[in-house]
Amino acid sequence: IQATGPERHFTGADLFSLEVAADPQISPDGSQVAYVRRSGDIMTDQFRSTIWLVDTRSSEQTPIAAGPGGHFSPRWSPDGSRLAYISSAEGGTTQIFVRWMESGEAVRLTNLPYAPGSIAWSPDGTRIAYSMLIPGESAGLGSAPDAPEGAEWADPLDVTTAVGYRADGQGYLRPGFNQIFVVPADGGTARQLSFGDYHHGGPLSWTPDGRAILFSGDLTPDWEMDPVEGEIYSLDVTTSAITPLTDRNGPDVNPVVSPDGRHIAWLGFDDQRRGYENVLLHVSDSDGSNQRVLTGALDRSINTAIWSANSRAVYVSYDDHGQTKVARVSLSGSITTVAEGLNGASLDRPYSGGSFSVARDGTLAITSGPATSPADIVLVRGSNRRQLTHLNDDLLGHKVMGEVRRMETASTFDGRPIESWLTLPPGHVEGQRHPLILEIHGGPFAAYGPHFSTDNQLYAAAGYAVLSVNPRGSTSYGTEFANLIHHAYPGNDYHDLMSAVDGVIAAGFADPDQLFVTGGSGGGVLTSWIVGNTNRFRAAATQKPVINWTTQALISDIPVFVANYWFGALPWEDQQSYWSRSPLSLVGNVETPTLVLVGGEDERTPVSEAEQYYMALRMEGVPTTLIRVPGASHGGLAARPSQSAAKASAILAWFDRYRNAPNDIME
Ligand SMILES: CSCC[C@H](NC(C)=O)C(=O)N[C@@H](C)C(=O)N[C@@H](CO)C(=O)O
């Protein structure tokens, strides 16, 4: 059929035209913002990262690194005359580049064998510190016979003794440790500063005299079995001597030295082996003494900390009711919100997030945008906000997007307010009821909010209303609300989700006979849990779920964390809890047609979780289909635009099959 006009609704093909702004770095004088622009590319089926500069007065944009390859992590030199970044512009391994802003000349600074990260300028602008993984030896055991000359034999045995031998997005890890290096900022030889069989983690922060670099890590022999632990260390740039600055039981990470060198700020908490803790902003004197918490009264988790130029306050970002905000925290602990409405770079689902930076005069560059468009760069000066980029106006300005409305319902379990956001089909008319998709977030300690989501917009364009709920356990509502699911997940969150659905039905938006449910990861757990508890949904799609906590605790890339923090016992010590909280325990109840979908390279909730559920549903005679997304990790399930669009299309095709089925088929 010939199209008779432009397509006004959001389509899967539109994913290739989306762009999103990330990692905004405002220059020290506030005149320019360097940022990462991620753009869909239909020929490579990827989101490509380039670096652009936007003038804060004229909004004029200049490309900094936009040619072949990927370009990211722009970082201003302290005087703003140069910009360092990481790039694969010359092919092969990513390298550190520096651009001299006045001349516009950019040079490759390094010739590294492995990818650098966590780049940090020394305060005098003469050196750049970075971290890099240095491969170690595989644990050997026995040997193969000697191969004859010219023979082509199989790869040698892969022998490991590591606990963390796999990681989502990386697969099976090669042995090695993250080390810290320094390279002259005008070219020269890089020098390794840290050594030993421990990870020395970024971000890195120099002391103002350039003599030491602060980093975090766990340099104790037990580090592998304690995935949460971390301390702040000071590394002497001349002697490589390491001095610990913190020593409590709990993570101490992200150290930042104040510009005057008198204080250190960092993030962390006392480890109580609970599923969730607020990450708190700490400060101490420069030698680690006089440690104190500055955000204890906020009851929110701190994501990022950046010192003000006068060293009197720390700018932090935190999530509150699904929204990401920036606050200025003074050394006396007073907290003033200075920016709201940040948006992150995740495109497929409406997770809260976002990033920011601060100029010398306190001007902020943030990533922000409405729920109907991906994040742009916004400048915030006091109460003035100015949008500097409009990356998607060319595409979305010509589309009718699904409107997003905030909802709130009391949970039938205990009356607690449960917040959610409803995406309505474009062209919604007041009083009209729609088929409803309940779309559940993962984590489970994470939060949805009024943020752009390609999944939700594609479902809405197909005529569904989509409900994004923050049930108990969600972050951004404080420690008590999050820990309502401590050692009890899944559980009463079920009632919160069903209450939110009933709230939308009561408000007249949803057709009670046309309910559908989906969700990814922790949201896949709850999707499978829901169909094990009720037949109210016509069809379900469980994405990258955990189905059996015993196998999850042994096969995923977070085994010790799952066992110690989400259960408090090993699977064979408390099989009753592991089994009764596994959706597999309820599979005998399931009658809802349930699609099962997983990334083929998922190491977080491994493919075998989805496969167990698919086979169990088949054995029970429940209508099901298994979809594997080739090459996709857990975090990268929607990384390729074609797969993201095809995934939403498959879920819609599954739901449409049962949406249009006569009622007697459903009974
Ligand atoms: C120490 S890792 C804690 C688990 C981790 N949590 C978050 C917030 O990412 C995680 O990966 N959980 C997965 C089981 C999960 O539900 N992931 C979510 C959120 O990232 C997803 O949608 O993929």
Side-chain angles (χ1 to χ4, degrees):
I1 300 167
Q2 198 76 39
T4 53
E7 173 58 62
R8 294 283 184 207
H9 288 172
F10 188 66
T11 69
D14 290 333
L15 262 65
F16 292 102
S17 306
L18 287 176
E19 300 198 76
V20 62
D23 199 2
Q25 296 292 322
I26 192 162
S27 58
D29 66 1
S31 64
Q32 312 192 72
V33 180
Y35 74 97
V36 175
R37 180 168 166 175
R38 296 182 59 227
S39 316
D41 179 345
I42 200 161
M43 297 315 289
T44 59
D45 190 14
Q46 273 169 352
F47 280 94
R48 228 183 117 233
S49 290
T50 54
I51 298 174
W52 289 72
L53 204 62
V54 56
D55 188 282
T56 56
R57 277 174 185 243
S58 65
S59 299
E60 194 183 323
Q61 297 220 49
T62 316
I64 291 288
H71 320 277
F72 49 91
S73 297
R75 296 292 177 267
W76 291 101
S77 64
D79 65 0
S81 65
R82 288 159 293 164
L83 189 75
Y85 56 93
I86 297 176
S87 165
S88 60
E90 297 186 6
T93 309
T94 53
Q95 302 290 339
I96 302 173
F97 285 70
V98 172
R99 177 175 164 126
W100 273 255
M101 300 312 290
E102 203 174 295
S103 70
E105 287 288 324
V107 296
R108 175 165 60 79
L109 205 64
T110 55
N111 188 15
L112 304 173
Y114 312 106
S118 304
I119 56 176
W121 286 89
S122 66
D124 63 0
T126 60
R127 292 161 291 173
I128 296 176
Y130 61 93
S131 65
M132 185 170 76
L133 187 101
I134 298 296
E137 291 290 306
S138 277
L141 200 61
S143 59
D146 292 336
E149 184 99 20
E152 285 186 22
W153 282 17
D155 289 339
L157 305 187
D158 193 353
V159 183
T160 190
T161 54
V163 175
Y165 65 91
R166 67 204 310 172
D168 189 56
Q170 300 173 64
Y172 283 83
L173 297 172
R174 68 169 142 178
F177 293 96
N178 231 40
Q179 304 293 358
I180 297 169
F181 296 77
V182 67
V183 63
D186 51 5
T189 308
R191 188 161 60 90
Q192 184 169 345
L193 299 182
S194 72
F195 302 87
D197 290 354
Y198 298 103
H199 290 294
H200 301 76
L204 308 173
S205 181
W206 291 77
T207 54
D209 60 10
R211 290 192 181 153
I213 295 170
L214 270 52
F215 69 95
S216 66
D218 182 358
L219 310 189
T220 61
D222 219 19
W223 66 271
E224 280 194 290
M225 293 309 288
D226 196 347
V228 167
E229 184 58 14
E231 305 297 353
I232 308 292
Y233 297 94
S234 173
L235 169 66
D236 189 298
V237 174
T238 312
T239 66
S240 287
I242 288 177
T243 312
L245 300 178
T246 58
D247 67 352
R248 56 109 165 254
N249 177 23
D252 289 305
V253 295
N254 290 60
V256 218
V257 185
S258 63
D260 65 6
R262 293 178 56 209
H263 294 104
I264 300 164
W266 75 96
L267 305 179
F269 56 81
D270 288 334
D271 185 1
Q272 301 173 66
R273 290 227 169 169
R274 292 196 296 182
Y276 176 82
E277 298 294 346
N278 279 335
V279 177
L280 304 171
L281 174 69
H282 295 67
V283 288
S284 73
D285 295 348
S286 58
D287 59 358
S289 64
N290 196 16
Q291 298 187 4
R292 53 205 191 274
V293 171
L294 292 188
T295 54
L298 186 63
D299 193 16
R300 295 290 184 268
S301 217
I302 305 301
N303 308 318
T304 314
I306 302 174
W307 280 98
S308 66
N310 64 10
S311 299
R312 290 203 192 131
V314 183
Y315 290 88
V316 298
S317 65
Y318 67 100
D319 294 347
D320 179 39
H321 287 255
Q323 304 221 36
T324 304
K325 302 177 175 177
V326 179
R328 191 175 192 277
V329 183
S330 75
L331 285 178
S332 62
S334 73
I335 301 173
T336 315
T337 302
V338 291
E340 300 196 358
L342 275 70
N343 272 358
S346 105
L347 286 176
D348 59 329
R349 289 166 297 152
Y351 278 114
S352 60
S355 48
F356 75 99
S357 64
V358 195
R360 266 192 220 116
D361 68 355
T363 303
L364 302 172
I366 64 171
T367 53
S368 180
T372 47
S373 182
D376 271 294
I377 302 294
V378 169
L379 196 73
V380 182
R381 261 197 195 111
S383 56
N384 285 336
R385 281 173 76 106
R386 199 153 54 79
Q387 187 173 335
L388 298 182
T389 63
H390 297 81
L391 298 181
N392 293 284
D393 284 8
D394 47 355
L395 171 72
L396 301 181
H398 306 282
K399 300 271 176 183
V400 188
M401 304 298 283
E403 183 199 339
V404 178
R405 294 192 191 175
R406 182 185 171 277
M407 311 288 290
E408 190 178 300
T409 334
S411 172
T412 52
F413 180 70
D414 55 10
R416 280 171 195 274
I418 302 299
E419 199 170 21
S420 60
W421 287 269
L422 182 67
T423 306
L424 290 162
H428 164 77
V429 175
E430 292 308 321
Q432 195 183 2
R433 287 185 186 269
H434 307 280
L436 180 76
I437 297 176
L438 168 64
E439 205 284 333
I440 309 169
H441 75 66
F445 302 105
Y448 275 163
H451 311 297
F452 182 70
S453 156
T454 53
D455 278 3
N456 289 7
Q457 289 296 339
L458 289 172
Y459 300 151
Y464 292 83
V466 190
L467 189 61
S468 308
V469 188
N470 280 340
R472 67 194 59 212
S474 299
T475 54
S476 78
Y477 300 88
T479 313
E480 196 256 352
F481 188 77
N483 276 316
L484 289 172
I485 63 164
H486 177 58
H487 290 183
Y489 164 77
N492 294 328
D493 33 14
Y494 167 80
H495 301 289
D496 302 342
L497 292 164
M498 297 306 291
S499 305
V501 167
D502 286 328
V504 171
I505 294 169
F509 293 111
D511 178 345
D513 289 329
Q514 295 284 340
L515 302 179
F516 301 86
V517 58
T518 187
S521 194
V525 173
L526 285 164
T527 299
S528 301
W529 194 252
I530 282 174
V531 294
N533 275 290
T534 179
N535 290 334
R536 284 185 66 191
F537 294 86
R538 279 190 162 241
T542 185
Q543 307 177 47
K544 49 178 179 175
V546 176
I547 289 305
N548 178 345
W549 285 110
T550 297
T551 46
Q552 169 71 14
L554 294 171
I555 302 175
S556 78
D557 69 347
I558 49 170
V560 183
F561 186 81
V562 168
N564 288 349
Y565 291 80
W566 289 356
F567 282 87
L570 298 171
W572 44 94
E573 293 170 347
D574 185 8
Q575 186 54 208
Q576 168 60 21
S577 294
Y578 275 80
W579 178 244
S580 64
R581 287 166 53 192
S582 293
L584 194 57
S585 70
L586 301 180
V587 75
N589 300 345
V590 179
E591 292 178 8
T592 311
T594 299
L595 177 68
V596 184
L597 190 144
V598 67
E601 315 260 313
D602 192 323
E603 303 283 356
R604 181 58 48 87
T605 54
V607 183
S608 53
E609 291 299 310
E611 288 171 342
Q612 288 179 66
Y613 200 52
Y614 167 70
M615 195 46 65
L617 291 169
R618 287 303 309 258
M619 287 171 165
E620 285 289 335
V622 179
T624 185
T625 296
L626 174 67
I627 296 180
R628 263 173 292 128
V629 181
S633 65
H634 188 87
L637 189 62
R640 311 293 296 264
S642 76
Q643 293 182 335
S644 183
K647 184 201 82 165
S649 169
I651 290 171
L652 283 169
W654 184 256
F655 289 173
D656 282 349
R657 186 182 290 178
Y658 298 98
R659 171 177 167 182
N660 299 323
N663 272 337
D664 54 339
I665 291 185
M666 298 305 303
E667 275 150 19

